[in-house]
Amino acid sequence: MATVIVVTSGKGGVGKTTTSASFATGLAQRGYRTAVIDFDVGLRNLDLIMGCERRVVYDFVNVINNEANLNQALIRDKRVENLYILPASQTRDKEALTKEGVERVLNELKQTFEYVVCDSPAGIERGALMALYFADEALVVTNPEVSSVRDSDRILGILASRSRRAEQGESPVKEHLVLTRYAPERANRGDMLTVQDVLEILGIPLLGVIPESPAVLQSSNAGVPVILEGGSDAGAAYGDLVDRFLGKDLPHRFMEGQKKGFLQRLFGGS
Amino acid sequence: MGLFDYFRAPPSKSAALAKERLQIIVAHERGGRRSSPDYLPALKKELLEVVRKYVPIDQSQVKVHLDREGGYEILELNITLPDEEQRSGQPR
Ligand SMILES: Nc1ncnc2c1ncn2[C@@H]1O[C@H](COP(=O)(O)OP(=O)(O)OP(=O)(O)O)[C@@H](O)[C@H]1O
Ligand SMILES: [Mg+2]
């Protein structure tokens, strides 16, 4: 049975699309047939991050409206086998995502894929609600910063009350915390919330900590999900995250930062 | 980090303040989220009427509280009865 995973956050710009791209790529790399859907109607971006923007012909809304079939709209990734992208529509019609339409497309995807990853738009409006409604599991992407943590908590409330699983009284959506843009040195200095602080407030299991990293911008410039830059800190962190999701018991790296000695602190070296 | 950074004023520890504020606001918003079912006021009123058949009490002595824990809902009723002497002489 296929698993539907929503990547969500409430707050905008925290790293949902970055996470969706790397998470889906990582699952496919490890041999699972994976589709990743951009739910951000009107603000298509996943295609750019995945580097397939010039191959978009049909989109999610075309499939919902029966203007194209799923096979016509799905873009097969050129680098990683088993990976397919369903781009968002650029329409300004926010009503384009109907519950029935989304359900039909997801059910069709579930026939052939093992994992369906839904990249949610920001906010708690229709697009975000549709992205999480059919989810079995949720990656709650959070930055160590007050408004992001608060919005994540609101999203947790919505997952617990307005998802299909909640409405049908089934077992709840499985929640995972993904803490991104983490700067251990700043947290150690006391001017940024620590992993522990965020865990204490949100109270859901930690799937991964992704460090603040220049590699993310570089790889988005190139249209390559950062997980494919295995030598980078963020890429390695996403790799661990995927392995952990698949059941490996790995310690969390990138949480400590370098401990600097007196001389190092005095004479620099970042 | 260079020489000047090292001798800079000590860090503000603003994260501690952030955490404290978040804990408060999140607890508050979670409280509001579990909206209490709309039958609670009516339930409270009827309870009051039933108890009053036997013991004189006023509205403030009946407390109805709904809690959610995991998959359970717990309805907590708290009825404070008046002292023995206040009660004597009242109709049964
Ligand atoms: N770990 C990281 N280190 C540094 N920059 C990051 C990191 N993660 C994300 N970013 C940057 O943050 C910005 C927002 O990322 P992204 O588009 O993934 O967020 P989003 O949550 O999908 O945004 P939106 O809500 O608009 O859909 C991008 O510029 C991205 O490069
Ligand atoms: Mg996005």
Side-chain angles (χ1 to χ4, degrees):
Chain A
M1 191 56 195
T3 305
V4 178
I5 303 140
V6 63
V7 180
T8 183
S9 71
K11 187 170 160 63
V14 296
K16 291 179 293 296
T17 300
T18 304
T19 299
S20 299
S22 280
F23 182 62
T25 302
L27 290 171
Q29 265 185 323
R30 286 156 183 74
Y32 297 94
R33 281 184 65 80
T34 304
V36 55
I37 310 179
D38 190 346
F39 272 77
D40 208 341
V41 171
L43 290 170
R44 176 197 293 163
N45 266 328
L46 182 67
D47 56 339
L48 271 176
I49 302 300
M50 304 279 299
C52 63
E53 69 279 4
R54 290 171 57 196
R55 295 163 61 211
V56 175
V57 183
Y58 295 109
D59 60 54
F60 192 14
V61 170
N62 291 141
V63 181
I64 287 178
N65 293 340
N66 291 310
E67 293 151 2
N69 66 40
L70 198 49
N71 289 331
Q72 290 173 300
L74 279 174
I75 302 171
R76 189 168 157 265
D77 192 84
K78 286 213 161 134
R79 290 170 293 245
V80 180
E81 230 186 297
N82 300 315
L83 180 59
Y84 291 78
I85 299 113
L86 184 56
S89 164
Q90 291 289 45
T91 173
R92 261 173 284 163
D93 177 13
K94 292 289 173 195
E95 308 295 295
L97 294 182
T98 60
K99 200 177 263 183
E100 297 68 34
V102 172
E103 181 169 32
R104 203 192 73 225
V105 175
L106 285 178
N107 282 340
E108 203 177 327
L109 286 169
K110 282 161 86 172
Q111 308 281 312
T112 39
F113 289 96
E114 293 168 280
Y115 290 106
V116 180
V117 178
C118 303
D119 179 18
S120 174
I124 49 175
E125 306 291 308
R126 186 185 194 89
L129 295 179
M130 283 301 125
L132 68 77
Y133 187 76
F134 297 98
D136 301 304
E137 307 201 23
L139 305 193
V140 179
V141 180
T142 308
N143 292 167
E145 171 269 321
V146 282
S147 51
S148 173
V149 175
R150 180 202 209 167
D151 288 359
S152 291
D153 193 67
R154 292 195 66 190
I155 281 291
L156 289 172
I158 292 173
L159 284 166
S161 62
R162 295 172 70 183
S163 60
R164 187 190 55 83
R165 282 176 169 270
E167 283 184 5
Q168 317 259 308
E170 291 175 20
S171 61
V173 177
K174 190 170 177 194
E175 302 153 342
H176 307 271
L177 178 63
V178 178
L179 192 62
T180 59
R181 310 202 68 164
Y182 192 62
E185 285 84 4
R186 296 183 62 192
N188 291 343
R189 278 206 302 269
D191 48 42
M192 183 188 258
L193 290 166
T194 64
V195 178
Q196 212 50 47
D197 290 340
V198 178
L199 276 175
E200 248 176 72
I201 293 161
L202 294 179
I204 62 172
L206 179 67
L207 184 63
V209 178
I210 313 299
E212 170 77 23
S213 165
V216 173
L217 184 61
Q218 281 159 17
S219 67
S220 73
N221 285 341
V224 179
V226 71
I227 196 171
L228 293 177
E229 311 286 358
S232 70
D233 49 357
Y238 275 118
D240 284 5
L241 178 149
V242 173
D243 284 332
R244 250 180 244 120
F245 181 85
L246 293 171
K248 268 200 197 159
D249 187 15
L250 296 176
H252 289 280
R253 299 189 273 170
F254 315 107
M255 262 168 58
E256 303 303 332
Q258 292 104 313
K259 295 244 159 56
K260 289 179 181 163
F262 174 78
L263 287 178
Q264 235 182 322
R265 293 172 70 183
L266 201 51
F267 295 111
S270 56
Chain B
M1 200 186 277
L3 192 59
F4 287 102
D5 292 311
Y6 189 70
F7 293 110
R8 189 175 53 175
S12 53
K13 302 273 184 265
S14 63
L17 181 58
K19 183 181 179 187
E20 194 184 310
R21 290 174 58 219
L22 270 170
Q23 279 170 325
I24 293 168
I25 190 65
V26 160
H28 177 76
E29 287 175 344
R30 281 181 192 163
R33 203 186 286 153
R34 52 168 95 99
S35 54
S36 62
D38 48 13
Y39 61 74
L40 278 191
L43 177 74
K44 186 171 170 177
K45 186 164 158 282
E46 282 181 50
L47 271 172
L48 193 66
E49 281 162 15
V50 172
V51 177
R52 268 184 184 161
K53 283 188 191 169
Y54 306 94
V55 191
I57 55 170
D58 68 41
Q59 201 149 1
S60 66
Q61 287 167 289
V62 177
K63 295 215 162 59
V64 179
H65 185 72
L66 189 79
D67 230 341
R68 277 181 204 148
E69 254 178 53
Y72 300 94
E73 288 188 357
I74 299 163
L75 183 63
E76 197 180 296
L77 298 177
N78 213 322
I79 302 173
T80 322
L81 298 179
D83 293 341
E84 197 64 40
E85 55 209 77
Q86 277 177 263
R87 216 161 38 179
S88 58
Q90 299 286 342
R92 274 219 76 199

